[in-house]
Amino acid sequence: MGLLSDPNRRRALISMLTRLNAPICVVCYMAGVAWFMGLAFEPFTLRTYMSENAMGSTMVEERFPAGERALATGREFAAHKKKVGGMPVDWLVKTMQSQGLEVFTQRFSRTLPFPDENKERYVVEGTNVYGILRAPRAPRTEALVLSAPCSPGNNNNQAVGLLLGLSQYFRNQIYWAKDIIFLVNEHDLIGMQAWLEGYHHTNTTGMDWSPLQGRGGSIQAALSLELSSDVITSLDLVLEGLNGQLPNLDLANLFYAFCQKIGVLCTIQGKLQRDDWDTASGYSHAVQTMMLMVLKQASGRPWGDHGLFLRYHIEAASIKGINSFRQYKTDATTIGRLLEGMFRKLNNLLERLHQSYFFYLMPSLSRFVSIGYYMPAFGLLAVILLLRALDLWVQLSALPSRTEDGIADIEQVSQTHLGVLSVLTPLVISHLTGVALYTLPIRSQEMAVEHFPVFETEAVVLTAIAIYTAGLALPHNTHRLVSGEGTEQGWRVLKLVAVLYLAVLLGCTALINFSLGFILALTLVPLAAFITPHVPKLLSALFMVLLSPGCTLFFSIFFFQELQETPVNLQEGWVLFLSVISQGILDHSLYGSLVYPLVALLVYPCWLLFWNILFWK
Amino acid sequence: MAAPLTLLLVVAVTIRAALFRSSLADLIAERVEVVSPLNAWKRVVEGLALLDLGISPYSGDVFHETPLIIYLFHFLVDYAEITFMVSRKFVSSFRKQKYALEADRYPLDCLELIRSPKEMYYIPLKVAMFYLLNPFTILSCVAKSTCGLNNAVIALFILCTIKGSALLSAIFLALATYQSVYPLTLFAPALLYLLQRLYIPVNIRRPSFWWYTLQYAFMYLGSLFVIICLSFFLLGTWDFLPSVYGFILSVPDLTPNIGLFWYFFAEMFEHFRLFFLCVFQINVFFYTIPLSIKLKEHPVFLIFMQLAVISIFKSYPTVGDIALYLAFLPVWSHLYRFLRNVFLVSCVLLACSALFPVLWHLWIYAGSANSNFYYAITLLFNVAQILLVSDYFYAYLRREYHLTHGLYLKRKDGSEATLVLK
């Protein structure tokens, strides 16, 4: 406790921290970025391993034989789908019933807050069909889910075919200890949301759905299958769920283990893994894979139908079949065997998957970075904020000269009083701007459509951008209304508040969604560290706008496209930017994704506070 | 003075009323940081329902409030919201009077360390502001936690003590003890204060000291006895004793909260339980003795220290308890220049308050974190509180030292000296 009680040592430490503040901050920032980039370097990462005993040592045999018949069922399904012009409910019910499953349907309808232009839907009505295979060997208190979406056009017919093939095959096996639910959901995530809400008797998003007539036990794990061709070259595993939540790493391990065993090519983020980690290209490949995961996780969207299961504490992943121009092809029987193997292992589970990690990043399917390794990268960035706050605190407590008579004290008191007021006004105003950014776009779409020649979706997005930009003009200099003129002390107090606010905000965000927290820290921390009213105005204003959350999103889109090897030009990038904003707002109102409210209500107002400091006069 | 206070009251009540009506109220009422098994409104309602059905409210393991509370609410249940608001108002207005009274005491102190009269003037207002606008208080009020009533009783006790009315003080102290056992430790500071007021020196060889102590103890124990008997006659059974005091002292409910008990006792082997129960509970009571000896000249500060110790070490703490002693901080604003870790501590407290719900979400809803994460934050939160309290204690002692030795200390050779706490 010497440091806390010995005034001399404290003084020495504090004077060192304030004297070397700027260099320490720069070093911390560089170290944070370097640490993060180092995470993809293979010697620094851990090899994945199966932690769950029940899935590790027990060997299972895969004997699924009926791939061709499954594909034929898929073609039949496609024909019926075409005939009905949507989900062939009756046919599905009949087929599942003939296999001996308990079959139920669920109707749902949902009106979106504004039309979704990507998927061209506004009023959504549909039906989910699911069949339950009751466990013959156990008291039916637990369940597993296999789902396949019924997509428009010719997509995913093979997935439904394989699902039906598997259900027929599973029905004849006697070793199931958990109910297995085969679910065909319409309208991808909306249907999935309706089904999950119905299953768990919750209604968080105000959707209309008919209650479920039949249930299995508590769902332990779920796999979602997407398959659009008869043969595939590789299987892609998708893990990122709602709000950047990830399933237990053992689920990924399970998938990887079976791919190795059966000999199927497997990818993550669409990238194969390479063995040449010691070459530059091998390293950059790993970095690209990891960055794709980071960007996807940061978006907070569910990247497959599995994404909504995670919210209910159910480990889930999507498996996508990819058919590229490679020579080596895999047929439906092999995929069926792979799924059978995974389900048999999941069937052996004695408790929920919990042994392995929940917080991880994957630079390849066989390597992972756990929370203990990646958190220091964020910690090094967050330390900068704390150091700046300490520096400001020291400056603030040094500023008022310690006069001995009481009169000066009173003046100080009135000054701090003004300080509080001049901090409160920008705080309140920037948060009100945030609230406007959060509520107005959807509320005012009708008015915008009436007065301007735009569609609803465009109206919402453009209103959001307009409010975002208007916020830059609005709140600065507001403190003058109260105190006449901003004091030296005033902006220091405001900056202290803003820096601490940002530190807490980023810390909480990084705990829930590391990627989002890290990306925001990467852009907001340098800005928070250097901004004062005395830096060159125009240059810093430009710099600040470039580092604002909106522009971060814009750059991230380009970066993402670049990583996916589909680069876009500025025009396309802008269109994509608009659609990403509309998707973000839709994700929030449809599934309860938190990224949009977080940015609108907290991050953006916090950024405005720094903007306010820059224009402090 | 009256106008700003009224304004403050209006603002405070408006915030609470707005939150009551909003959808947040249900959410807040479920938070483990805000309500404990002792004071959750849900449990009070359950107890009332049982009472209406003619069943003892203590059958089952839900209700742990004292009998008087349940009868109080029995009459008030329809107006519950209003009651809670009124109790808040009580707290604040009594506070105000209390510090107006206390203000008379301090100018006796010497030289530059005394507060200017103008500052003194604002202290009641600041205290009321600290209490009424403290987010912790607002949360626990909106959650309709009965903690607000306990705080009101304790505030009344402090007010009566400072006004010097021994009987009322003893009655309210008995009520507070009856509510939650722990305020028992406030007996010592109250006695010291009353003795000081009557200019009776604290000297064990003086009969007048013993005589007064006996008087006060008699009043206290007498009223406690009356209250407990009253509860017995109302209910007709002694069920409430194990169900309330047994529940507080033996900590059977290990729902996570911001205290230190739940994690330890959830992890512990059963045969160590009794031993560690004693170790943990003794913390609350034990510090009374050294603190009373050290602070026997400063009973009001002792009350503050005791309240802080209670709210840190009690078995089911909530943020409402913390708010009670945080409200005292403006009274000690003259200690500000001697505080050393206030920046560190306030940062930690702030960060912890934000992290509680986040880690709770990760643990309970997302399932990706576990209880260790949440407990780590609890631990940090309590360490910060302890640092805060000990920092104030140190500042207080240092101020006393400077009052006698002068502010600018010189070494023997004439250079400036620094005080080091070893």
Side-chain angles (χ1 to χ4, degrees), chain A residues 96-117:
Chain A
M96 283 188 179
Q97 260 166 356
S98 72
Q99 294 175 351
L101 305 179
E102 289 179 31
V103 189
F104 306 96
T105 58
Q106 182 202 27
R107 295 198 54 76
F108 60 88
S109 66
R110 171 85 212 226
T111 311
L112 308 193
F114 56 89
D116 181 353
E117 289 196 338

Side-chain angles (χ1 to χ4, degrees), chain B residues 162-381:
Chain B
I162 286 176
K163 274 190 169 170
S165 110
L167 180 64
L168 276 179
S169 142
I171 289 174
F172 280 117
L173 182 59
L175 260 177
T177 316
Y178 168 76
Q179 279 295 324
S180 62
V181 184
Y182 295 117
L184 175 66
T185 58
L186 295 175
F187 180 80
L191 180 67
L192 286 172
Y193 185 84
L194 292 170
L195 286 171
Q196 201 180 49
R197 237 182 116 84
L198 296 170
Y199 304 106
I200 302 174
V202 184
N203 187 338
I204 42 172
R205 263 168 279 168
R206 289 283 195 87
S208 63
F209 166 71
W210 284 111
W211 175 235
Y212 193 79
T213 309
L214 270 178
Q215 260 185 327
Y216 190 64
F218 179 74
M219 282 191 277
Y220 168 64
L221 292 175
S223 40
L224 196 59
F225 181 71
V226 168
I227 294 166
I228 288 178
C229 286
L230 189 65
S231 317
F232 171 71
F233 290 127
L234 278 175
L235 274 180
T237 66
W238 291 108
D239 276 354
F240 71 93
L241 283 182
S243 191
V244 178
Y245 306 114
F247 186 76
I248 292 174
L249 292 176
S250 69
V251 203
D253 190 319
L254 300 178
T255 316
N257 56 29
I258 57 170
L260 296 164
F261 280 68
W262 60 273
Y263 188 83
F264 270 101
F265 287 94
E267 299 285 314
M268 194 175 293
F269 290 120
E270 198 56 35
H271 54 277
F272 291 128
R273 197 183 155 88
L274 183 65
F275 171 68
F276 278 103
L277 208 56
C278 298
V279 172
F280 272 63
Q281 294 285 10
I282 223 166
N283 262 315
V284 184
F285 302 103
F286 182 73
Y287 297 119
T288 317
I289 302 164
L291 284 176
S292 312
I293 293 170
K294 186 72 198 166
L295 292 172
K296 65 181 175 196
E297 308 291 323
H298 312 284
V300 180
F301 191 72
L302 183 55
I303 290 182
F304 163 73
M305 292 295 292
Q306 283 298 337
L307 283 177
V309 165
I310 288 173
S311 84
I312 294 168
F313 291 112
K314 77 190 283 192
S315 46
Y316 304 101
T318 60
V319 289
D321 301 309
I322 295 165
L324 180 67
Y325 82 82
L326 286 186
F328 273 82
L329 294 187
V331 183
W332 319 117
S333 57
H334 57 290
L335 300 179
Y336 182 75
R337 64 159 65 184
F338 299 120
L339 289 178
R340 297 164 304 170
N341 301 320
V342 67
F343 177 66
L344 180 76
V345 168
S346 43
C347 284
V348 172
L349 285 180
L350 205 77
C352 285
S353 318
L355 284 174
F356 274 131
V358 168
L359 289 174
W360 181 261
H361 170 86
L362 285 181
W363 173 24
I364 300 296
Y365 295 103
S368 39
N370 53 39
S371 57
N372 300 335
F373 287 58
Y374 191 76
Y375 187 64
I377 290 303
T378 313
L379 211 53
L380 192 62
F381 189 67

Side-chain angles (χ1 to χ4, degrees), chain A residues 37 73 115 126 160 165 239 252 282 314 356 369 376 407 434 451 486 504 548 551 570 573 582 595:
Chain A
M37 295 312 286
T73 321
V160 178
L239 298 170
I314 299 165
S356 196
V369 182
I407 306 157
H451 294 288
V504 171
S548 78
C551 289
L570 205 61
S582 76
V595 176

